Amino acid sequence: MHRYFIELAYKGTHFCGWQLQPNGITVQGELERVMTLLLREPVRLTGAGRTDSGVHASCFVAHFDASSEELHKDVTLLYKLNQLISSDISVYRIYPVASDAHARFDAVSRTYQYRIAKVKNPFTIELAYHLYRPLDMEAMNTAAKILPEYTDFTSFSKLHGNAVTNLCRLTEAYWAENVQSKELTFTITANRFLRNMVRAVVGTMLEIGLGKRLPEDIRQIIEAKDRSAAGTSAPPQGLYLTNIVYPCKTRL
Amino acid sequence: MHRYFIELAYKGTHFCGWQLQPNGITVQGELERVMTLLLREPVRLTGAGRTDSGVHASCFVAHFDASSEELHKDVTLLYKLNQLISSDISVYRIYPVASDAHARFDAVSRTYQYRIAKVKNPFTIELAYHLYRPLDMEAMNTAAKILPEYTDFTSFSKLHGNAVTNLCRLTEAYWAENVQSKELTFTITANRFLRNMVRAVVGTMLEIGLGKRLPEDIRQIIEAKDRSAAGTSAPPQGLYLTNIVYPCKTRL
């Protein structure tokens, strides 16, 4: 068997997330079904992570094995795949990797972005969280700057998550404003993320931006190591997985 | 009664166009219903034009009369209107105008844009026409440059249109490429447009871009003054009404 990475994007609105579910349409399920049809052999994908129901990905990576060693040379494969699959999924690339390359374990960093629309925009209802109340950007950025000082994000993890550790190394976390599109974007990069973590972090920072908490409160919240100390999760439609980085050695 | 202009945007996907229809949800119908409710008097809107089913507007203007002369001073009116109306419509502004100002007859120019996605993009399925075949941009721009030499656009008007004349003065018509978003955009400005005209012009230029016709063929097409000489209409999801210009004197 030969191993490949597949790069894709999807609009999460109509999916029950990335990962296969017994009841519900998922990105993994749709891709596996269409790829099994095209490759005429069972295809099982291993994603770089999982995204929740309604969360988008402008860049997602998964690996799979196939008996052919020339899949990436078949110029019509991508075309057929994109024709057959939902218009909510776009496959960008399929390329060979080392036989032990792993989309999840080899990823050295992941980046998420969270989009907030500050004014009603009929073109982004499904693509951003619409929140028209004034937000204190300076307070939110003060809180964001504190995040990378910590590594244990238990306070922002799903209550019954089954992760072995709750440790994450954050390399960036900041809010930016796009004056033209009247949107705010939060960008966060880490070696790994806990389940529901970005939405819990964003939800907590929004409470800071709305004046319900102080920027420095984020320290007590993290140090409590208790999900109930943090704010409610921000809704899924604003969240995008935007990048996953692999070491060069993964490539064939 | 006091006259006002209302500025708005809408995503046309789920509407049967701007104009009131006996069967079908329209932007005008939705706005009139909600405004009548809020102003507690019947509100009738006169739009700057009409857009077809599925066509978007990032800027649309209409006028209406109301008994209050201070509507524009009610800071909560816009807020309530946007809360009550569909998330596919956003109202930006309501401002007083001269009592004889007319959203349709006073408009001195209108601008439309047509968006084409060159690669599959799950985030723009409803917001652009997806066309992945190679397009000869130079040929399309050669044809676009010829358009403003003519004023009679009968060949691009709906067969049983009821316009008095088919004359339009074009002031701009060009294609541009956005390398980052992998989209092509056609921009066209004129004092007025015939029904279905922009989509017929774009459809014809796409046939030129695909090599089915030559750029210079556009002359014979226009000179034929016959709809059947032109190409098929481009689909609605790529089309946006983006600007409507009024003379200063319209303002109060």
Side-chain angles (χ1 to χ4, degrees), chain B residues 87-142:
Chain B
S87 60
D88 289 339
I89 300 174
S90 176
V91 178
Y92 294 136
R93 224 152 61 96
I94 290 175
Y95 56 94
V97 291
S99 61
D100 62 346
H102 196 287
R104 184 167 156 218
F105 300 140
D106 287 353
V108 291
S109 87
R110 291 152 171 96
T111 300
Y112 281 91
Q113 290 194 323
Y114 197 93
R115 276 174 73 178
I116 294 177
K118 295 298 301 159
V119 298
K120 197 178 179 188
N121 179 342
F123 305 109
T124 62
I125 293 295
E126 296 178 328
L127 302 176
Y129 174 37
H130 283 235
L131 181 64
Y132 312 138
R133 282 177 289 168
L135 289 171
D136 183 340
M137 275 283 277
E138 206 181 307
M140 294 199 299
N141 259 326
T142 303

Side-chain angles (χ1 to χ4, degrees), chain B:
Chain B
M1 296 296 270
H2 301 273
R3 185 155 288 190
Y4 295 91
F5 269 16
I6 178 169
E7 281 181 16
L8 59 141
Y10 52 86
K11 179 178 171 186
T13 318
H14 309 299
F15 293 111
C16 301
W18 159 263
Q19 187 152 306
L20 222 55
Q21 301 286 342
N23 306 302
I25 294 170
T26 65
V27 181
Q28 183 185 2
E30 289 303 288
L31 266 177
E32 287 184 352
R33 183 175 57 75
V34 175
M35 289 178 74
T36 296
L37 202 76
L38 283 174
L39 301 191
R40 295 191 192 120
E41 63 187 355
V43 173
R44 285 292 160 256
L45 294 163
T46 302
R50 43 166 85 175
T51 56
D52 289 338
S53 193
V55 170
H56 317 293
S58 60
C59 171
F60 192 89
V61 180
H63 76 247
F64 67 95
D65 293 321
S67 53
S68 161
E69 66 176 320
E70 301 204 316
L71 273 193
H72 55 294
K73 292 183 185 161
D74 179 355
V75 288
T76 66
L77 177 63
L78 267 192
Y79 175 81
K80 287 183 202 154
L81 190 49
N82 278 314
Q83 285 269 321
L84 281 172
I85 212 158
S86 156
S87 60
D88 289 339
I89 300 174
S90 176
V91 178
Y92 294 136
R93 224 152 61 96
I94 290 175
Y95 56 94
V97 291
S99 61
D100 62 346
H102 196 287
R104 184 167 156 218
F105 300 140
D106 287 353
V108 291
S109 87
R110 291 152 171 96
T111 300
Y112 281 91
Q113 290 194 323
Y114 197 93
R115 276 174 73 178
I116 294 177
K118 295 298 301 159
V119 298
K120 197 178 179 188
N121 179 342
F123 305 109
T124 62
I125 293 295
E126 296 178 328
L127 302 176
Y129 174 37
H130 283 235
L131 181 64
Y132 312 138
R133 282 177 289 168
L135 289 171
D136 183 340
M137 275 283 277
E138 206 181 307
M140 294 199 299
N141 259 326
T142 303
K145 265 184 213 141
I146 294 169
L147 292 172
E149 294 178 26
Y150 293 87
T151 53
D152 187 329
F153 289 93
T154 305
S155 293
F156 299 109
S157 75
K158 203 139 190 147
L159 279 171
H160 302 287
N162 49 6
V164 178
T165 88
N166 288 334
L167 302 180
C168 312
R169 270 179 291 105
L170 269 60
T171 48
E172 61 178 359
Y174 63 91
W175 287 89
E177 187 163 10
N178 186 324
V179 178
Q180 213 203 326
S181 66
K182 286 163 185 142
E183 288 194 0
L184 306 182
T185 306
F186 176 63
T187 304
I188 186 166
T189 300
N191 64 324
R192 66 193 281 265
F193 287 92
L194 310 175
R195 278 203 71 184
N196 205 247
M197 174 171 156
V198 184
R199 287 166 58 193
V201 166
V202 170
T204 304
M205 282 190 291
L206 289 178
E207 293 183 5
I208 291 168
L210 291 167
K212 294 179 186 170
R213 296 174 189 253
L214 294 171
E216 286 289 325
D217 289 354
I218 201 106
R219 293 189 186 278
Q220 294 154 39
I221 293 168
I222 298 173
E223 287 163 15
K225 294 180 190 175
D226 175 2
R227 178 66 184 86
S228 67
T232 50
S233 286
Q237 68 269 25
L239 188 60
Y240 292 72
L241 174 55
T242 61
N243 202 16
I244 306 166
V245 175
Y246 293 93
C248 292
K249 73 167 183 64
T250 309
R251 299 284 180 102
L252 261 199

Side-chain angles (χ1 to χ4, degrees), chain A residues 15-17 19-26 53:
Chain A
F15 294 111
C16 300
Q19 188 153 304
L20 223 53
Q21 300 287 342
N23 307 302
I25 294 171
T26 65
S53 193

